[in-house]
Amino acid sequence: MNEKKVVPGVDELSEAPGNQNANFHALEVCFVALIGILVIAAFFEATTYKLVSSRTPFVIMVPLIILLVIQMIRLLEVGSVSSVTQRVGASIKGQIPSITKNVSLLSWLTALLATIVIAGHYIGIAAFVFVLTRVLSREALRPALWVTAGTTVLLFITFELGFDIELYRGLIYRYFAGYRVF
Amino acid sequence: MTIIEGMTSGFLQAISLGVLPFLVTGAIFGLIIGVIPGLSGHFAMAMAVTFLYSMEPAAGIAFLLGAHSTVAQGGGLTAILFSTPGTGQNAATLLDGPPMRDKGQAGLAVGAAMASCFLGATFGAIALALLIPVLRDVVLFFGPPEIFVLAFLALTFVSILGKEDMTRSMIAALMGLMLAMIGVDNVTNTERFTMGSSDLADGLSLVPAILGLFAVAEMIELWVRGGSLAKDVPNPLSGRETQKQIFAGIGIAFSKWWLVLRCSAIGTIMGLIPGLGSAPAAFVAYGHAKQTSKDKASFGKGNIEGVIGAESANDAVEGGALASTLAFGIPGSSSMAILLSGLFILGLETGPQMLNDNLDIVFVMIFTIIIGNLIGTVIGMFLVNPLSRATSIRASYMVPVLLAIIVTGAYAADRSLFDIGIALVFGVLGYLMKVLNYSRAALLIGFVLGFAVEKNLYLALLIDGPFFFMEPIPLTLTLITITFLGVNIFGFFRDRRKEQS
């Protein structure tokens, strides 16, 4: 993917095939850097453990750090740091559509999790499915409602009736049901 | 348990009313997932694994393997009808399937592909059954030092032989091992990398991690891509004509039994090697079919032997892959890693215990593969047209519905909201790994093997001291690992020098 030299221009932040390499390159640099930071943090954390507990993590982390450094060198050989910062800036400003779409979906997934915690599984799922089909994808109202209702009923039948698994009812329900441990 | 006892018990369990409905459901589920381009066999298994908690072992295995075994059949169908392989393993079918469709022989190609899948899977399953007596003896030579070194050999193979870049795959494998270190260390009872969270004390749960890596990641990709999953069928045939051709195609696959046998053997042998997987096996088998054909020129232009060769090898891989997974607990692919996780969930242990005490379960797997593929073939024979309609479902409907099921599945595994968070985090990780060409299979295998690696390293050091790898079997395996790694690193630098010059 990154074998060719990546030289982005100012107006090359779109999703055209030629520019995708540069976008992926920037994304990978950030990915490797993030993994690197996490592994180094874990390395220092492991130094506080007993020898037996830290032995295997060290056996894994030493080659992992070496490989991450090699990969970062490879990445910086095929693309410049300025290209990476330029694209990171563009994605933060919402100029790269695929990243914006990704971030939007992830935000809705996080909202789904928060809704499940507060209002319960069924309300969270129904709201999520409706938002994605109707609001984000602009599907017609009636099919969106059918899909929302169908999915919620399917989950109830499969999990509650089929597998006898009670799905989470949410903090509000549990509070009024008398629970004080959530 | 003797082999005859295990076989009888396994067969009776596989066709019992407590197991067969799960097998049929799994097979239909796998077929539908296989038909939909973008959803892989890993996706089918990741989804199926969430339901295992409330199942008996035989039923759970039948459901899981039933889903897995029919995915390739569904994928072959779309490769032929839409020129879009439902799964990566059907890529070789693209070479001759679509040209046959363009010649008005779509039904013939579908029939031959489905029958070849069934025959290949049956061959692989029989090969696995025949390997059991050998594996039972071999596995006794494998103690902690051997398993530890074997795990690294498998990870090396997966990293190097996979379709992804070698350095990225090795990073992924080590990341997987590292993720397995999270939680309480079983030897010293020390909490490691938990950041004080009690939810992480038992380590990262397997089910949400699998769901995230394979299911959520696919959904994110599908959402970003958007639109409909496949175009209309070019040159569609009437229902009756398709049906007629399908039966004729099945007949041709059976008449080419010698080709099916050879290509299935290629698939089974390649399945034994960790990391190779179905796609390369299908291409090698395709190459073999072309090489040995009297009509080489027509390959790539719609030769039915091309379809038969690729599809029979495709499914025969599973028999070989299962052998190493069950005998040593070392999965060679992400599907096998998910299967291994499923076995853990069902309370089953691989290795000598599986091959001696739970031999009936091994035969349940063998019969599940055969019966699952038979179900897939029968359904495919009669429901080609309705099945192909699944590809026209728009991502705007499919993604929300499947994400809702995935999130619920992540919660249901342990009734933990924290697990939903894990599935989402792993979803992002899986998506990034997919678009950046990092091997998710290597990460999952590393993650699944992490516990075994640490336990066996501890025991190996305890039993044989720091030079445990100097024993004959570990030494041989270590030398194979180093040689294999060395040759590939040398090849990597040689290619790079060539490119630069």
Side-chain angles (χ1 to χ4, degrees):
Chain A
M1 178 195 335
N2 298 309
E3 308 312 322
K4 289 177 185 166
K5 187 84 180 169
V6 179
V7 188
V10 181
D11 59 343
E12 288 180 343
L13 298 169
S14 70
E15 305 272 345
N19 301 325
Q20 250 186 3
N21 273 353
N23 288 343
F24 282 141
H25 173 264
L27 189 62
E28 191 174 0
V29 169
C30 297
F31 179 71
V32 172
L34 179 68
I35 301 292
I37 291 167
L38 291 174
V39 174
I40 288 167
F43 190 92
F44 284 112
E45 168 75 10
T47 55
T48 63
Y49 302 151
K50 289 174 191 160
L51 176 69
V52 176
S53 297
S54 60
R55 186 172 48 206
T56 319
F58 280 138
V59 168
I60 298 163
M61 278 190 284
V62 170
L64 180 54
I65 291 170
I66 294 169
L67 283 168
L68 285 168
V69 170
I70 291 172
Q71 185 62 9
M72 188 56 102
I73 292 169
R74 280 175 70 192
L75 286 170
L76 294 179
E77 272 177 5
V78 293
S80 63
V81 178
S82 64
S83 143
V84 176
T85 50
Q86 193 184 9
R87 275 158 208 287
V88 170
S91 56
I92 291 169
K93 287 177 196 158
Q95 290 170 346
I96 301 178
S98 63
I99 300 223
T100 311
K101 210 171 175 186
N102 257 321
V103 172
S104 152
L105 180 64
L106 292 174
S107 309
W108 283 110
L109 280 167
T110 313
L112 164 69
L113 182 53
T115 319
I116 289 175
V117 172
I118 297 163
H121 210 97
Y122 294 108
I123 294 173
I125 289 293
F128 176 76
V129 174
F130 185 75
V131 166
L132 258 66
T133 48
R134 174 69 184 156
V135 182
L136 298 186
S137 306
R138 298 178 198 286
E139 294 290 348
L141 178 65
R142 193 173 286 183
L145 282 173
W146 274 112
V147 170
T148 303
T151 308
T152 314
V153 171
L154 175 76
L155 291 181
F156 176 78
I157 291 172
T158 311
F159 287 93
E160 301 254 359
L161 301 183
F163 292 104
D164 198 21
I165 296 168
E166 190 188 283
L167 299 180
Y168 191 64
R169 298 288 190 256
L171 292 176
I172 297 171
Y173 172 88
R174 286 174 71 87
Y175 181 82
F176 286 109
Y179 292 95
R180 290 298 176 265
V181 178
F182 300 102
Chain B
M1 189 178 273
T2 64
I3 290 180
I4 298 294
E5 282 170 351
M7 196 191 301
T8 314
S9 171
F11 178 68
L12 292 175
Q13 284 184 59
I15 57 163
S16 70
L17 282 177
V19 173
L20 199 59
F22 289 98
L23 174 52
V24 175
T25 312
I28 295 171
F29 174 65
L31 206 55
I32 294 170
I33 295 292
V35 163
I36 300 170
L39 302 185
S40 56
H42 318 130
F43 181 89
M45 289 189 86
M47 294 286 283
V49 94
T50 57
F51 299 106
L52 294 184
Y53 282 89
S54 44
M55 289 187 190
E56 291 295 314
I61 283 167
F63 183 61
L64 198 60
L65 272 179
H68 181 57
S69 56
T70 52
V71 165
Q73 288 184 316
L77 200 94
T78 46
I80 294 162
L81 293 182
F82 304 105
S83 307
T84 311
T87 66
Q89 66 209 70
N90 299 105
T93 312
L94 280 178
L95 297 170
D96 275 293
M100 282 185 74
R101 174 203 65 206
D102 295 339
K103 288 197 283 189
Q105 298 174 341
L108 215 58
V110 169
M114 293 237 159
S116 307
C117 265
F118 166 66
L119 293 173
T122 307
F123 180 94
I126 292 170
L128 171 63
L130 293 175
L131 276 173
I132 288 172
V134 182
L135 289 172
R136 278 174 123 175
D137 292 334
V138 171
V139 83
L140 295 175
F141 292 102
F142 280 70
E146 288 80 9
I147 295 287
F148 174 77
V149 179
L150 190 64
F152 272 95
L153 175 69
L155 280 173
T156 310
F157 269 58
V158 171
S159 303
I160 292 170
L161 297 177
K163 61 183 188 297
E164 293 89 356
D165 170 77
M166 185 173 72
T167 316
R168 291 186 179 102
S169 298
M170 284 163 71
I171 289 173
L174 291 169
M175 273 166 62
L177 284 171
M178 203 50 219
L179 287 168
M181 297 297 117
I182 296 173
V184 173
D185 171 23
N186 287 323
V187 181
T188 61
N189 237 12
T190 308
E191 279 196 9
R192 293 184 303 192
F193 314 115
T194 60
M195 294 168 282
S197 164
S198 58
D199 288 309
L200 286 172
D202 287 335
L204 291 164
S205 309
L206 266 173
V207 174
I210 292 169
L211 277 172
L213 270 180
F214 293 101
V216 178
E218 305 289 344
M219 291 300 103
I220 297 174
E221 201 197 14
L222 212 57
W223 180 256
V224 173
R225 200 191 328 147
S228 183
L229 293 163
K231 295 170 200 152
D232 292 334
V233 185
N235 302 335
L237 293 169
S238 69
R240 182 171 288 184
E241 180 59 25
T242 308
Q243 218 67 67
K244 225 169 116 184
Q245 282 197 7
I246 286 174
F247 282 106
I250 292 171
I252 293 172
F254 275 93
S255 71
K256 306 249 179 212
W257 62 272
W258 180 230
L259 175 68
V260 172
L261 272 184
R262 283 179 286 136
C263 292
S264 302
I266 289 171
T268 307
I269 292 165
M270 287 182 75
L272 281 166
I273 304 166
L276 279 181
S278 306
F283 277 106
V284 171
Y286 178 86
H288 171 75
K290 185 177 175 180
Q291 208 69 45
T292 53
S293 173
K294 286 173 189 161
D295 185 17
K296 291 187 185 73
S298 65
F299 271 76
K301 294 171 190 160
N303 189 322
I304 199 163
E305 288 183 5
V307 175
I308 292 171
E311 288 290 326
S312 50
N314 226 347
D315 269 33
V317 165
E318 301 311 328
L322 265 173
S324 57
T325 309
L326 296 179
F328 308 109
I330 308 285
S333 66
S334 44
S335 300
M336 286 300 120
I338 299 173
L339 176 74
L340 193 62
S341 316
L343 295 178
F344 292 157
I345 292 167
L346 294 166
L348 297 167
E349 216 173 281
T350 51
Q353 201 191 349
M354 174 67 84
L355 295 176
N356 290 302
D357 303 340
N358 293 322
L359 199 57
D360 54 334
I361 294 292
V362 178
F363 277 99
V364 168
M365 292 184 199
I366 290 169
F367 288 115
T368 296
I369 292 174
I370 298 172
I371 299 170
N373 272 281
L374 183 63
I375 293 167
T377 307
V378 172
I379 293 172
M381 273 159 56
F382 295 102
L383 298 174
V384 173
N385 290 336
L387 267 175
S388 60
R389 278 191 206 116
T391 53
S392 61
I393 302 171
R394 284 199 293 275
S396 52
Y397 285 123
M398 188 182 293
V399 173
V401 173
L402 289 178
L403 272 175
I405 298 170
I406 292 162
V407 164
T408 312
Y411 171 79
D414 267 344
R415 272 88 154 163
S416 162
L417 290 170
F418 187 76
D419 284 352
I420 299 180
I422 291 184
L424 299 185
V425 171
F426 269 81
V428 177
L429 178 68
Y431 173 72
L432 287 173
M433 290 181 76
K434 190 173 183 189
V435 297
L436 297 175
N437 204 22
Y438 284 75
S439 168
R440 290 180 293 169
L443 183 129
L444 181 63
I445 294 170
F447 183 49
V448 171
L449 286 181
F451 177 72
V453 164
E454 182 161 40
K455 186 182 85 177
N456 286 298
L457 172 65
Y458 176 75
L459 289 173
L461 288 168
L462 208 67
I463 297 165
D464 294 324
F467 295 104
F468 65 85
F469 53 86
M470 297 304 282
E471 299 287 314
I473 295 176
L475 185 64
T476 312
L477 294 173
T478 308
L479 287 175
I480 293 171
T481 309
I482 293 170
T483 311
F484 193 66
L485 202 57
V487 166
N488 280 280
I489 291 171
F490 174 75
F492 172 77
F493 282 109
R494 189 190 52 205
D495 293 346
R496 214 175 149 187
R497 265 202 307 275
K498 266 186 195 167
E499 260 179 40
Q500 282 169 350
S501 62

